Amino acid sequence: MKFNISHIDKLSKARAGEIIKTSQVTGKKIIVPTPIFMPVGTAGSVKGVHARELEKDIGTNLILGNTYHLFFRPGTQILKQAGGLHGFMGWNKLILTDSGGYQVHSLAHKRKISEEGVHFACHLDGSKHTFTPEKVIDMQRAIGADIIMAFDECTPPECSYGYAKDSMELTHRWLQRCIKRCNDTEKEKTQIFFPIVQGSIYKDLRRISAETIAAADMSGNAIGGVCHPSGHLYEITEFVCDILPKDKPRYLMGVGTPEDILECIALGVDMFDCVMPTRNARNGQLFTTKGRINIRNKKWESDFSMIDEDLGGYVSTHYTKAYLRHLMRSNELLGAQIASIHNLTFYLWLVKQAREHIVKGDFAVWKGNAIKVFMSKI
Amino acid sequence: MKFNISHIDKLSKARAGEIIKTSQVTGKKIIVPTPIFMPVGTAGSVKGVHARELEKDIGTNLILGNTYHLFFRPGTQILKQAGGLHGFMGWNKLILTDSGGYQVHSLAHKRKISEEGVHFACHLDGSKHTFTPEKVIDMQRAIGADIIMAFDECTPPECSYGYAKDSMELTHRWLQRCIKRCNDTEKEKTQIFFPIVQGSIYKDLRRISAETIAAADMSGNAIGGVCHPSGHLYEITEFVCDILPKDKPRYLMGVGTPEDILECIALGVDMFDCVMPTRNARNGQLFTTKGRINIRNKKWESDFSMIDEDLGGYVSTHYTKAYLRHLMRSNELLGAQIASIHNLTFYLWLVKQAREHIVKGDFAVWKGNAIKVFMSKI
């Protein structure tokens, strides 16, 4: 994997670059322009979106899969037989998998953390499992993603200093075990490993963690534990970005709104993922070039303008707001499909716009107005 | 609308033909090869399927809408403002709407039938409504379908002779009121009206009804009240087809399985519709060129062959059986989407195959084996 930065904004820390990685499926080079947003394909599918729609309509070539979900369904055995997640889901482009660290925290029951790993009961059937750093690497080897993540503890929001410190130190010890397992199981250098900075809202912990993660000298680095609405997102992100190496991609996990993405691009983040565009789509919230829309509202009942003419793309210029409102209110599957493709198209357009303005040199100026427009309610 | 028959099978009553109608949207001629199957777009969408997928993947240019559902959501007022259902749902090809006669029977509550029409409570909110022949024509004018249907009483399965006779006579009186309303409201000759044969399982009633409907001398004729599993489907269909005029399309409403479709093509039916391919798809039942599949079964867990290589088309040759099984079991939206497109592609392929064999002259021979294969469980 290569990461080239071509432009740095003069008025902010925003960077325009490219991640270049050879496809494990086709052997061809795939170029991911950064900053980039990765659609979330939790259980082997981006909900409501066909593989060809991801590629052709939304214009993405890097999506995210959740190791926790894939472990339970379809299971790593099936994924191995299928030749990994790429083959299983019919996706020729790039995949990043998280480590399950966040899901064992947010979804699993009866969670107990020990030095060994996390013991928990599955949210689906209550069955008992243990995720260890070694097991999580093995799972990600079976899934076969292009970028794989370290197993960390994602600290709860507003946790105490003591908890955060102990947790961070455990995450660092787990990192060493992850790296060892990666080295022990690496056959061909096709999977890239990213470690994750933790440390909650405490800057001295974040500093230690960022320095530890930087010292691991991997091809890219991630920042975890900031996606809770803690009010410290920008402060912590900037603080950590300043410590992490400049010449490697920085991935801010689980973020966020269009505003958060643009602000964090300005702080030096290169990669984002979030369920917001698809989850909100299923509830009827659209992100558009004119602002945010609750498509279920009566005001759209007889609005026969296209969903978003300026955004372009099939669904946003083929279907009207009135039609989408009708589908959502009638619980028609197609409503969730249209809204999901639309929102993901918007998110990919958003980071592309940001990139163009970084290249052009007016990102910081553009950002202020863009946030005002995109976050407005219309 | 024109209907041309090009071939008649020598060993059965199967016909190959074309329905030709000018699009109300584009003004261009649209050719529907017959026999044809019409995907059902109940509430303004074929569930889980984009407009472009209907056209490009499934290869259909004639779909069905349900007047009953559209009356409640989005309502005829919105549809009028949208320039009809074509504009509302972004569908440039042809639409047929039923009259709501079946839905007021199968869905509505507190149904009371009088000479005037049907009084009932909406299945969604319990609100009280009356559908009359005049109102149903007005609704279908607002929806603006290319082919519109008479308002009939769809008799319950196994109803008594007396009930069936009274009901049929009422349906015939309603037909005259429908025709009058059609004539009174016709501005441009763009909507084609089909009357419906009723009479339950009683042949003398079916004869009277078929003769009455034939005498109305419309551009096409429909056979209703046969889609219940009454065991009389083929007998009644053949009996009625023999009476209905040869030179007009015959539409068998709400039918059916691949077997029923092929058998009824052999009896002289030209048009079909049924929710089976989409409804069964959402439950995991697939119709394939090799037979029927319950994709939720464990036997497909690690079957990495494509869904149906011989059928062709994007979803059937891009996604594997194991992947689709995983999606269905994980309640992923994409599972219902893939299965729906696949099943509809199969149904359209099925009638196309039938047509080719009618043209080739070996339909009756092909049909026997085809039914054996397509109805087998694999």
Side-chain angles (χ1 to χ4, degrees):
Chain A
M1 190 186 96
K2 281 185 194 169
F3 178 58
N4 301 323
I5 295 172
S6 61
H7 298 81
I8 296 177
D9 188 45
K10 286 196 185 81
L11 296 172
S12 76
K13 294 164 188 170
R15 309 110 64 83
E18 283 177 351
I19 293 171
I20 305 167
K21 188 176 180 301
T22 304
S23 162
Q24 299 180 81
V25 184
T26 63
K28 288 182 189 166
K29 272 189 186 165
I30 295 176
I31 299 174
V32 180
T34 60
I36 194 67
F37 178 84
M38 301 178 282
V40 178
T42 304
S45 99
V46 175
K47 290 184 195 306
V49 184
H50 285 283
R52 68 175 173 189
E53 291 170 335
L54 280 169
E55 198 180 332
K56 310 275 185 197
D57 293 291
I58 294 161
T60 184
N61 54 18
L62 172 57
I63 62 171
L64 184 142
N66 289 127
T67 294
Y68 175 91
H69 291 279
L70 292 166
F71 172 75
F72 290 110
R73 293 190 301 207
T76 45
Q77 202 52 43
I78 298 292
L79 285 167
K80 262 186 202 169
Q81 290 175 46
L85 182 59
H86 293 89
F88 187 64
M89 66 183 286
W91 177 246
N92 282 344
K93 305 299 177 174
L94 303 180
I95 300 175
L96 178 151
T97 40
D98 66 9
S99 64
Y102 182 72
Q103 277 76 28
V104 291
H105 162 74
S106 61
L107 279 180
H109 306 306
K110 300 180 187 170
R111 192 176 64 118
K112 272 188 193 168
I113 301 178
S114 72
E115 186 65 32
E116 185 197 3
V118 181
H119 315 276
F120 64 93
C122 169
H123 72 296
L124 294 168
D125 63 3
S127 58
K128 289 183 180 172
H129 300 272
T130 300
F131 278 6
T132 64
E134 292 78 14
K135 180 161 188 180
V136 161
I137 295 302
D138 292 349
M139 282 153 50
Q140 292 186 89
R141 286 276 188 238
I143 296 169
D146 300 276
I147 302 174
I148 63 178
M149 303 298 300
F151 189 56
D152 58 343
E153 190 200 357
C154 187
T155 48
E158 316 294 335
C159 70
S160 71
Y161 183 86
Y163 187 99
K165 184 168 183 290
D166 291 347
S167 167
M168 177 197 75
E169 288 168 353
L170 182 66
T171 288
H172 292 170
R173 291 193 298 277
W174 284 355
L175 173 61
Q176 295 312 315
R177 287 166 57 191
C178 282
I179 292 172
K180 183 173 185 316
R181 190 62 154 214
C182 277
N183 293 336
D184 290 350
T185 55
E186 196 167 39
K187 286 173 198 158
E188 302 153 20
K189 285 204 173 192
T190 51
Q191 292 187 291
I192 306 301
F193 174 84
F194 281 20
I196 304 171
V197 175
Q198 288 289 348
S200 187
I201 56 168
Y202 306 103
K203 283 197 181 170
D204 62 328
L205 299 181
R206 285 284 180 181
R207 172 177 298 282
I208 295 167
S209 190
E211 286 170 352
T212 305
I213 266 54
D217 196 23
M218 296 293 146
S219 303
N221 300 296
I223 308 169
V226 290
C227 63
H228 312 295
S230 69
H232 299 267
L233 171 61
Y234 302 156
E235 188 189 342
I236 295 295
T237 298
E238 181 167 27
F239 185 79
V240 172
C241 280
D242 286 349
I243 301 170
L244 290 176
K246 285 191 165 42
D247 58 343
K248 294 173 181 178
R250 302 174 186 136
Y251 164 29
L252 186 62
M253 303 183 78
V255 171
T257 63
E259 176 173 18
D260 288 345
I261 287 177
L262 295 187
E263 291 294 5
C264 292
I265 287 173
L267 304 176
V269 173
D270 306 295
M271 303 166 69
F272 300 87
D273 81 283
C274 192
V275 294
M276 186 175 274
T278 39
R279 180 176 292 168
N280 290 24
R282 296 195 299 280
N283 295 325
Q285 194 191 22
L286 305 183
F287 298 97
T288 81
T289 58
K290 303 274 191 297
R292 290 178 299 154
I293 285 177
N294 183 342
I295 200 67
R296 302 179 71 96
N297 284 349
K298 191 160 175 69
K299 74 180 282 194
W300 309 112
E301 188 177 31
S302 56
D303 186 323
F304 301 110
S305 65
M306 296 305 161
I307 295 169
D308 195 344
E309 200 72 63
D310 290 342
L311 182 64
Y314 173 67
V315 304
S316 312
T317 64
H318 183 79
Y319 300 113
T320 65
K321 297 183 182 77
Y323 181 58
L324 181 55
R325 176 183 187 267
H326 159 69
L327 294 177
M328 296 299 297
R329 285 171 48 89
S330 304
N331 295 318
E332 286 285 330
L333 285 181
L334 188 60
Q337 295 171 231
I338 292 171
S340 297
I341 294 179
H342 167 79
N343 275 358
L344 286 175
T345 305
F346 175 83
Y347 264 66
L348 267 292
W349 173 88
L350 180 75
V351 291
K352 197 176 173 192
Q353 284 284 307
R355 191 178 194 281
E356 284 174 10
H357 286 284
I358 296 168
V359 170
K360 209 173 145 195
D362 66 353
F363 171 74
V365 181
W366 169 81
K367 172 173 71 76
N369 188 52
I371 289 173
K372 214 177 287 174
V373 174
F374 302 151
M375 295 308 289
S376 67
K377 282 192 187 175
I378 57 171
Chain B
M1 189 187 97
K2 282 186 194 169
F3 178 58
N4 302 323
I5 295 172
S6 61
H7 298 80
I8 296 176
D9 188 43
K10 287 197 182 81
L11 295 173
S12 76
K13 293 165 188 168
R15 311 111 62 82
E18 283 177 351
I19 293 172
I20 305 166
K21 188 176 180 299
T22 304
S23 162
Q24 299 180 80
V25 184
T26 63
K28 288 182 187 164
K29 272 189 186 164
I30 295 176
I31 299 174
V32 180
T34 60
I36 193 67
F37 177 83
M38 300 178 281
V40 178
T42 304
S45 99
V46 176
K47 291 186 196 303
V49 184
H50 284 283
R52 67 175 174 189
E53 290 170 336
L54 281 169
E55 198 180 332
K56 309 277 185 196
D57 294 290
I58 295 161
T60 185
N61 54 19
L62 171 57
I63 62 172
L64 184 141
N66 290 127
T67 294
Y68 174 91
H69 291 279
L70 293 166
F71 172 74
F72 290 110
R73 294 191 300 209
T76 45
Q77 202 52 43
I78 297 292
L79 286 167
K80 263 187 200 168
Q81 289 175 45
L85 182 58
H86 293 89
F88 187 65
M89 66 183 286
W91 177 246
N92 281 346
K93 305 296 177 176
L94 303 180
I95 300 174
L96 178 150
T97 39
D98 66 9
S99 63
Y102 181 72
Q103 277 75 28
V104 291
H105 162 75
S106 61
L107 278 181
H109 306 306
K110 300 180 187 171
R111 192 175 62 116
K112 273 189 193 169
I113 300 178
S114 72
E115 186 64 34
E116 185 198 3
V118 181
H119 316 275
F120 64 93
C122 169
H123 73 296
L124 294 169
D125 63 4
S127 58
K128 290 183 179 172
H129 301 272
T130 300
F131 277 6
T132 64
E134 292 78 13
K135 179 158 189 180
V136 161
I137 295 301
D138 292 348
M139 281 153 49
Q140 291 187 89
R141 287 274 188 239
I143 296 169
D146 300 276
I147 301 174
I148 63 178
M149 302 299 299
F151 189 55
D152 60 340
E153 190 199 356
C154 186
T155 48
E158 315 295 335
C159 70
S160 72
Y161 183 87
Y163 187 100
K165 184 168 183 291
D166 291 346
S167 168
M168 178 197 75
E169 288 168 353
L170 182 65
T171 288
H172 292 170
R173 291 193 298 277
W174 284 355
L175 173 60
Q176 296 312 314
R177 288 166 56 189
C178 282
I179 292 172
K180 183 174 185 312
R181 190 62 154 214
C182 276
N183 293 337
D184 290 349
T185 55
E186 195 167 41
K187 286 172 197 160
E188 303 153 20
K189 285 202 173 192
T190 51
Q191 290 187 291
I192 306 301
F193 174 84
F194 280 21
I196 304 171
V197 176
Q198 288 289 349
S200 187
I201 57 168
Y202 306 103
K203 282 198 181 169
D204 63 327
L205 298 182
R206 285 285 181 179
R207 171 176 300 282
I208 294 168
S209 190
E211 287 171 352
T212 305
I213 265 53
D217 197 22
M218 295 294 146
S219 303
N221 299 297
I223 309 170
V226 290
C227 62
H228 313 295
S230 68
H232 300 265
L233 171 62
Y234 301 157
E235 188 190 343
I236 295 295
T237 298
E238 180 166 29
F239 185 79
V240 171
C241 280
D242 287 349
I243 300 169
L244 289 177
K246 284 191 166 42
D247 59 342
K248 294 174 182 177
R250 301 172 186 138
Y251 163 30
L252 186 62
M253 303 182 79
V255 172
T257 63
E259 177 173 18
D260 288 345
I261 287 177
L262 295 187
E263 291 295 6
C264 292
I265 287 173
L267 304 175
V269 173
D270 307 294
M271 302 166 69
F272 299 88
D273 80 282
C274 193
V275 294
M276 185 174 276
T278 39
R279 180 176 292 169
N280 289 23
R282 296 195 298 280
N283 295 325
Q285 195 189 22
L286 304 184
F287 299 97
T288 81
T289 58
K290 302 273 189 300
R292 290 177 298 154
I293 284 177
N294 183 342
I295 200 67
R296 303 179 71 96
N297 284 349
K298 189 159 177 71
K299 73 181 283 194
W300 309 113
E301 188 177 30
S302 56
D303 186 325
F304 301 110
S305 65
M306 297 304 161
I307 295 170
D308 195 345
E309 200 73 63
D310 291 342
L311 183 63
Y314 173 68
V315 303
S316 313
T317 64
H318 183 80
Y319 300 112
T320 66
K321 296 183 182 77
Y323 181 59
L324 181 54
R325 175 183 188 268
H326 159 69
L327 294 177
M328 296 300 296
R329 285 171 48 88
S330 304
N331 296 316
E332 285 286 328
L333 284 181
L334 188 61
Q337 295 170 234
I338 292 171
S340 298
I341 293 179
H342 167 79
N343 274 357
L344 286 175
T345 304
F346 175 83
Y347 263 66
L348 267 291
W349 173 88
L350 180 75
V351 292
K352 198 177 171 191
Q353 284 285 304
R355 190 177 195 280
E356 283 174 10
H357 285 284
I358 297 167
V359 169
K360 208 173 145 196
D362 66 353
F363 171 74
V365 180
W366 169 81
K367 171 172 72 75
N369 188 53
I371 288 173
K372 214 176 289 173
V373 174
F374 303 150
M375 296 307 289
S376 66
K377 281 191 187 174
I378 58 172

